[in-house]
Amino acid sequence: MPFQVAVCGPRHCTPQDEQHAREVGRLLARADATVICGGGIGVMAAVAAGAHAEGGLVIGVRPGDTAADADPHLSAVIVTNLGEARNAVIVWSADAVIAIGGSWGTLSEIALAKRRGTIPVITLGGWTITDHHGNPLTDDTIRASTPQDAVTHALNHRS
């Protein structure tokens, strides 16, 4: 069974998030991991391009009822017509989740992965979630400092 890593992040991302996502994609492909992403622009396009450049397998899970707007670097597209609910499909299909940067959609994917409770969730930039006292709510969320660090943490959970 292939090891599948969901890479989540904003469609309107920073140049640093885009650079990180591209490198994460490259590293995951080199490790023979399947990349699952939303299949659109921003972080999704960057991770797809990085994995594609290394000959990796990239699955895009689209929110609408067509694949017409899917990134061209995807190996396969899943059309869901689920809107943002497709985020659950992405995280439930993964053996690990890497979240790069931060947006509301990215936060929902982190939350869904944390609620799932059985897979590692790694963040690279972006969200830090705290309670009303400022204490971290996600003690077991892994905060990576580099793309290599994020991928290493994800791959450490291979069976």
Side-chain angles (χ1 to χ4, degrees), residues 2-46:
F3 189 75
Q4 300 185 154
V5 179
V7 179
C8 309
R11 63 181 152 237
H12 302 293
C13 65
T14 68
Q16 182 177 27
D17 291 342
E18 186 175 334
Q19 180 183 6
H20 283 164
R22 190 175 311 275
E23 184 63 14
V24 164
R26 284 188 190 110
L27 294 168
L28 288 171
R30 287 178 193 156
D32 206 26
T34 298
V35 174
I36 302 170
C37 69
I41 63 174
V43 164
M44 300 170 281

Short mmCIF file of all heavy atoms in Angstrom, two decimals, residues 2-46:
data_model
loop_
_atom_site.label_atom_id
_atom_site.label_comp_id
_atom_site.label_asym_id
_atom_site.label_seq_id
_atom_site.Cartn_x
_atom_site.Cartn_y
_atom_site.Cartn_z
N PRO A 2 0.63 2.21 -0.86
CA PRO A 2 1.47 3.42 -0.89
C PRO A 2 1.24 4.29 0.34
O PRO A 2 0.15 4.27 0.92
CB PRO A 2 1.00 4.14 -2.15
CG PRO A 2 -0.38 3.65 -2.38
CD PRO A 2 -0.43 2.25 -1.86
N PHE A 3 2.26 5.02 0.72
CA PHE A 3 2.16 5.97 1.81
C PHE A 3 1.65 7.27 1.22
O PHE A 3 2.26 7.82 0.30
CB PHE A 3 3.53 6.16 2.48
CG PHE A 3 3.47 6.95 3.75
CD1 PHE A 3 2.98 6.37 4.91
CD2 PHE A 3 3.91 8.26 3.79
CE1 PHE A 3 2.93 7.10 6.10
CE2 PHE A 3 3.87 8.99 4.96
CZ PHE A 3 3.38 8.41 6.13
N GLN A 4 0.53 7.78 1.73
CA GLN A 4 -0.12 8.96 1.17
C GLN A 4 -0.04 10.12 2.14
O GLN A 4 -0.43 9.99 3.30
CB GLN A 4 -1.58 8.63 0.84
CG GLN A 4 -1.71 7.51 -0.15
CD GLN A 4 -3.12 7.23 -0.59
OE1 GLN A 4 -3.29 6.71 -1.68
NE2 GLN A 4 -4.14 7.56 0.18
N VAL A 5 0.44 11.26 1.64
CA VAL A 5 0.58 12.45 2.47
C VAL A 5 -0.27 13.57 1.87
O VAL A 5 -0.10 13.93 0.70
CB VAL A 5 2.06 12.90 2.56
CG1 VAL A 5 2.18 14.16 3.40
CG2 VAL A 5 2.93 11.78 3.12
N ALA A 6 -1.19 14.09 2.68
CA ALA A 6 -1.98 15.25 2.27
C ALA A 6 -1.15 16.49 2.54
O ALA A 6 -0.59 16.65 3.63
CB ALA A 6 -3.29 15.31 3.04
N VAL A 7 -1.07 17.36 1.55
CA VAL A 7 -0.40 18.65 1.73
C VAL A 7 -1.46 19.72 1.53
O VAL A 7 -2.08 19.82 0.48
CB VAL A 7 0.77 18.83 0.74
CG1 VAL A 7 1.42 20.19 0.96
CG2 VAL A 7 1.79 17.71 0.93
N CYS A 8 -1.69 20.49 2.59
CA CYS A 8 -2.75 21.49 2.62
C CYS A 8 -2.14 22.88 2.74
O CYS A 8 -1.09 23.05 3.34
CB CYS A 8 -3.66 21.24 3.83
SG CYS A 8 -4.25 19.55 3.95
N GLY A 9 -2.82 23.85 2.19
CA GLY A 9 -2.35 25.22 2.30
C GLY A 9 -3.23 26.16 1.48
O GLY A 9 -4.06 25.71 0.69
N PRO A 10 -3.04 27.44 1.68
CA PRO A 10 -3.91 28.43 1.03
C PRO A 10 -3.74 28.51 -0.48
O PRO A 10 -2.66 28.32 -1.01
CB PRO A 10 -3.50 29.75 1.68
CG PRO A 10 -2.29 29.50 2.47
CD PRO A 10 -2.04 28.04 2.54
N ARG A 11 -4.85 28.83 -1.13
CA ARG A 11 -4.79 29.05 -2.59
C ARG A 11 -4.14 30.39 -2.88
O ARG A 11 -3.53 30.57 -3.91
CB ARG A 11 -6.16 28.91 -3.23
CG ARG A 11 -7.17 29.90 -2.77
CD ARG A 11 -8.52 29.67 -3.44
NE ARG A 11 -9.55 30.15 -2.54
CZ ARG A 11 -10.55 29.44 -2.09
NH1 ARG A 11 -10.68 28.20 -2.47
NH2 ARG A 11 -11.41 29.95 -1.27
N HIS A 12 -4.25 31.34 -1.96
CA HIS A 12 -3.56 32.64 -2.09
C HIS A 12 -2.47 32.65 -1.03
O HIS A 12 -2.69 33.02 0.10
CB HIS A 12 -4.55 33.79 -1.91
CG HIS A 12 -5.68 33.73 -2.89
ND1 HIS A 12 -5.50 33.92 -4.24
CD2 HIS A 12 -6.99 33.48 -2.70
CE1 HIS A 12 -6.65 33.78 -4.85
NE2 HIS A 12 -7.58 33.52 -3.95
N CYS A 13 -1.29 32.18 -1.43
CA CYS A 13 -0.22 31.96 -0.46
C CYS A 13 0.92 32.95 -0.67
O CYS A 13 0.99 33.64 -1.68
CB CYS A 13 0.29 30.53 -0.57
SG CYS A 13 1.08 30.12 -2.15
N THR A 14 1.82 32.96 0.30
CA THR A 14 3.00 33.80 0.21
C THR A 14 4.04 33.12 -0.70
O THR A 14 3.98 31.90 -0.91
CB THR A 14 3.64 34.01 1.59
OG1 THR A 14 4.16 32.75 2.05
CG2 THR A 14 2.62 34.56 2.59
N PRO A 15 4.99 33.88 -1.21
CA PRO A 15 6.07 33.27 -2.00
C PRO A 15 6.83 32.20 -1.19
O PRO A 15 7.23 31.18 -1.74
CB PRO A 15 6.97 34.45 -2.37
CG PRO A 15 6.03 35.63 -2.39
CD PRO A 15 5.06 35.36 -1.27
N GLN A 16 7.01 32.44 0.12
CA GLN A 16 7.71 31.45 0.94
C GLN A 16 6.89 30.17 1.06
O GLN A 16 7.44 29.07 0.98
CB GLN A 16 8.02 32.01 2.34
CG GLN A 16 8.79 31.00 3.18
CD GLN A 16 9.17 31.54 4.54
OE1 GLN A 16 8.51 32.39 5.09
NE2 GLN A 16 10.24 31.00 5.09
N ASP A 17 5.56 30.29 1.25
CA ASP A 17 4.71 29.10 1.31
C ASP A 17 4.80 28.33 0.00
O ASP A 17 4.87 27.10 -0.01
CB ASP A 17 3.25 29.48 1.58
CG ASP A 17 3.01 30.02 2.98
OD1 ASP A 17 3.86 29.80 3.87
OD2 ASP A 17 1.97 30.68 3.17
N GLU A 18 4.79 29.05 -1.11
CA GLU A 18 4.88 28.40 -2.43
C GLU A 18 6.21 27.66 -2.57
O GLU A 18 6.26 26.51 -3.04
CB GLU A 18 4.74 29.45 -3.52
CG GLU A 18 4.68 28.86 -4.90
CD GLU A 18 4.42 29.92 -5.96
OE1 GLU A 18 3.83 30.97 -5.67
OE2 GLU A 18 4.81 29.66 -7.11
N GLN A 19 7.29 28.30 -2.16
CA GLN A 19 8.61 27.67 -2.22
C GLN A 19 8.65 26.43 -1.33
O GLN A 19 9.16 25.38 -1.74
CB GLN A 19 9.68 28.68 -1.79
CG GLN A 19 11.08 28.12 -1.82
CD GLN A 19 12.11 29.14 -1.32
OE1 GLN A 19 11.77 30.22 -0.84
NE2 GLN A 19 13.37 28.78 -1.41
N HIS A 20 8.13 26.54 -0.12
CA HIS A 20 8.09 25.40 0.80
C HIS A 20 7.28 24.25 0.21
O HIS A 20 7.69 23.08 0.28
CB HIS A 20 7.51 25.80 2.15
CG HIS A 20 8.47 26.56 3.00
ND1 HIS A 20 8.06 27.27 4.11
CD2 HIS A 20 9.81 26.73 2.95
CE1 HIS A 20 9.09 27.84 4.68
NE2 HIS A 20 10.17 27.53 3.99
N ALA A 21 6.12 24.57 -0.37
CA ALA A 21 5.25 23.53 -0.93
C ALA A 21 5.93 22.82 -2.10
O ALA A 21 5.86 21.59 -2.21
CB ALA A 21 3.93 24.14 -1.37
N ARG A 22 6.58 23.57 -2.95
CA ARG A 22 7.27 22.96 -4.09
C ARG A 22 8.34 21.98 -3.59
O ARG A 22 8.47 20.86 -4.10
CB ARG A 22 7.89 24.05 -4.97
CG ARG A 22 8.41 23.53 -6.30
CD ARG A 22 8.91 24.67 -7.19
NE ARG A 22 7.97 25.76 -7.31
CZ ARG A 22 6.96 25.82 -8.17
NH1 ARG A 22 6.77 24.83 -9.01
NH2 ARG A 22 6.16 26.86 -8.22
N GLU A 23 9.10 22.39 -2.58
CA GLU A 23 10.15 21.52 -2.05
C GLU A 23 9.56 20.31 -1.33
O GLU A 23 10.07 19.19 -1.45
CB GLU A 23 11.08 22.31 -1.12
CG GLU A 23 12.26 21.51 -0.59
CD GLU A 23 13.23 21.05 -1.69
OE1 GLU A 23 13.17 21.54 -2.84
OE2 GLU A 23 14.06 20.17 -1.38
N VAL A 24 8.48 20.49 -0.59
CA VAL A 24 7.80 19.36 0.06
C VAL A 24 7.36 18.36 -1.01
O VAL A 24 7.54 17.14 -0.86
CB VAL A 24 6.61 19.83 0.92
CG1 VAL A 24 5.67 18.68 1.27
CG2 VAL A 24 7.12 20.50 2.20
N GLY A 25 6.79 18.85 -2.11
CA GLY A 25 6.38 17.96 -3.19
C GLY A 25 7.54 17.17 -3.76
O GLY A 25 7.44 15.96 -3.98
N ARG A 26 8.65 17.85 -4.00
CA ARG A 26 9.85 17.18 -4.53
C ARG A 26 10.32 16.08 -3.57
O ARG A 26 10.61 14.96 -3.99
CB ARG A 26 10.98 18.19 -4.72
CG ARG A 26 10.85 19.07 -5.91
CD ARG A 26 12.14 19.91 -6.10
NE ARG A 26 11.93 20.93 -7.09
CZ ARG A 26 11.85 22.23 -6.83
NH1 ARG A 26 12.01 22.68 -5.60
NH2 ARG A 26 11.63 23.09 -7.80
N LEU A 27 10.41 16.43 -2.31
CA LEU A 27 10.92 15.48 -1.31
C LEU A 27 9.99 14.28 -1.14
O LEU A 27 10.45 13.14 -1.01
CB LEU A 27 11.14 16.19 0.02
CG LEU A 27 12.24 17.25 0.02
CD1 LEU A 27 12.17 18.10 1.29
CD2 LEU A 27 13.61 16.61 -0.15
N LEU A 28 8.69 14.52 -1.14
CA LEU A 28 7.74 13.41 -1.02
C LEU A 28 7.83 12.49 -2.23
O LEU A 28 7.80 11.26 -2.09
CB LEU A 28 6.32 13.94 -0.83
CG LEU A 28 6.03 14.55 0.54
CD1 LEU A 28 4.66 15.24 0.53
CD2 LEU A 28 6.10 13.50 1.65
N ALA A 29 7.95 13.06 -3.42
CA ALA A 29 8.07 12.24 -4.62
C ALA A 29 9.35 11.41 -4.60
O ALA A 29 9.33 10.22 -4.95
CB ALA A 29 8.03 13.12 -5.87
N ARG A 30 10.44 12.02 -4.17
CA ARG A 30 11.71 11.28 -4.08
C ARG A 30 11.61 10.12 -3.09
O ARG A 30 12.30 9.11 -3.25
CB ARG A 30 12.84 12.22 -3.66
CG ARG A 30 13.27 13.18 -4.72
CD ARG A 30 14.35 14.11 -4.23
NE ARG A 30 14.54 15.22 -5.14
CZ ARG A 30 15.07 16.39 -4.80
NH1 ARG A 30 15.47 16.61 -3.56
NH2 ARG A 30 15.20 17.35 -5.69
N ALA A 31 10.76 10.28 -2.08
CA ALA A 31 10.56 9.22 -1.08
C ALA A 31 9.48 8.23 -1.51
O ALA A 31 9.11 7.34 -0.75
CB ALA A 31 10.18 9.85 0.26
N ASP A 32 8.96 8.38 -2.72
CA ASP A 32 7.94 7.49 -3.28
C ASP A 32 6.62 7.54 -2.52
O ASP A 32 5.88 6.56 -2.47
CB ASP A 32 8.46 6.05 -3.37
CG ASP A 32 7.78 5.25 -4.45
OD1 ASP A 32 7.29 5.86 -5.42
OD2 ASP A 32 7.70 4.02 -4.31
N ALA A 33 6.31 8.70 -1.95
CA ALA A 33 5.03 8.90 -1.27
C ALA A 33 4.05 9.51 -2.28
O ALA A 33 4.44 10.31 -3.13
CB ALA A 33 5.19 9.84 -0.08
N THR A 34 2.79 9.15 -2.17
CA THR A 34 1.74 9.75 -2.98
C THR A 34 1.31 11.05 -2.32
O THR A 34 1.08 11.08 -1.11
CB THR A 34 0.53 8.80 -3.09
OG1 THR A 34 0.96 7.60 -3.74
CG2 THR A 34 -0.60 9.43 -3.88
N VAL A 35 1.21 12.11 -3.10
CA VAL A 35 0.77 13.41 -2.60
C VAL A 35 -0.72 13.57 -2.89
O VAL A 35 -1.17 13.33 -4.01
CB VAL A 35 1.55 14.57 -3.26
CG1 VAL A 35 0.99 15.93 -2.86
CG2 VAL A 35 3.03 14.47 -2.91
N ILE A 36 -1.47 13.98 -1.87
CA ILE A 36 -2.88 14.30 -2.03
C ILE A 36 -3.02 15.78 -1.69
O ILE A 36 -2.50 16.25 -0.67
CB ILE A 36 -3.77 13.48 -1.08
CG1 ILE A 36 -3.57 11.99 -1.32
CG2 ILE A 36 -5.24 13.87 -1.24
CD1 ILE A 36 -4.23 11.11 -0.28
N CYS A 37 -3.69 16.52 -2.56
CA CYS A 37 -3.90 17.94 -2.30
C CYS A 37 -5.24 18.36 -2.89
O CYS A 37 -5.95 17.54 -3.46
CB CYS A 37 -2.76 18.78 -2.88
SG CYS A 37 -2.70 18.82 -4.69
N GLY A 38 -5.57 19.63 -2.75
CA GLY A 38 -6.83 20.13 -3.27
C GLY A 38 -6.85 20.32 -4.77
O GLY A 38 -7.91 20.51 -5.36
N GLY A 39 -5.70 20.28 -5.41
CA GLY A 39 -5.63 20.31 -6.86
C GLY A 39 -5.84 21.66 -7.52
O GLY A 39 -6.01 21.72 -8.73
N GLY A 40 -5.81 22.74 -6.74
CA GLY A 40 -6.03 24.08 -7.29
C GLY A 40 -4.75 24.89 -7.36
O GLY A 40 -3.67 24.37 -7.61
N ILE A 41 -4.90 26.19 -7.09
CA ILE A 41 -3.78 27.13 -7.18
C ILE A 41 -3.07 27.26 -5.84
O ILE A 41 -3.46 26.64 -4.85
CB ILE A 41 -4.27 28.50 -7.69
CG1 ILE A 41 -5.27 29.13 -6.71
CG2 ILE A 41 -4.88 28.37 -9.09
CD1 ILE A 41 -5.69 30.56 -7.06
N GLY A 42 -2.03 28.09 -5.79
CA GLY A 42 -1.32 28.38 -4.55
C GLY A 42 -0.49 27.22 -4.07
O GLY A 42 0.25 26.61 -4.85
N VAL A 43 -0.60 26.89 -2.78
CA VAL A 43 0.16 25.79 -2.19
C VAL A 43 -0.13 24.49 -2.94
O VAL A 43 0.77 23.69 -3.20
CB VAL A 43 -0.14 25.65 -0.68
CG1 VAL A 43 0.32 24.30 -0.13
CG2 VAL A 43 0.55 26.78 0.09
N MET A 44 -1.39 24.29 -3.32
CA MET A 44 -1.77 23.06 -4.02
C MET A 44 -1.02 22.92 -5.34
O MET A 44 -0.50 21.84 -5.66
CB MET A 44 -3.28 23.04 -4.25
CG MET A 44 -4.11 23.11 -2.98
SD MET A 44 -5.88 23.38 -3.29
CE MET A 44 -5.90 25.16 -3.62
N ALA A 45 -0.96 23.99 -6.12
CA ALA A 45 -0.26 23.96 -7.39
C ALA A 45 1.24 23.77 -7.20
O ALA A 45 1.89 23.05 -7.96
CB ALA A 45 -0.53 25.24 -8.18
N ALA A 46 1.79 24.41 -6.18
CA ALA A 46 3.23 24.32 -5.94
C ALA A 46 3.64 22.91 -5.52
O ALA A 46 4.64 22.39 -6.02
CB ALA A 46 3.65 25.34 -4.88
#
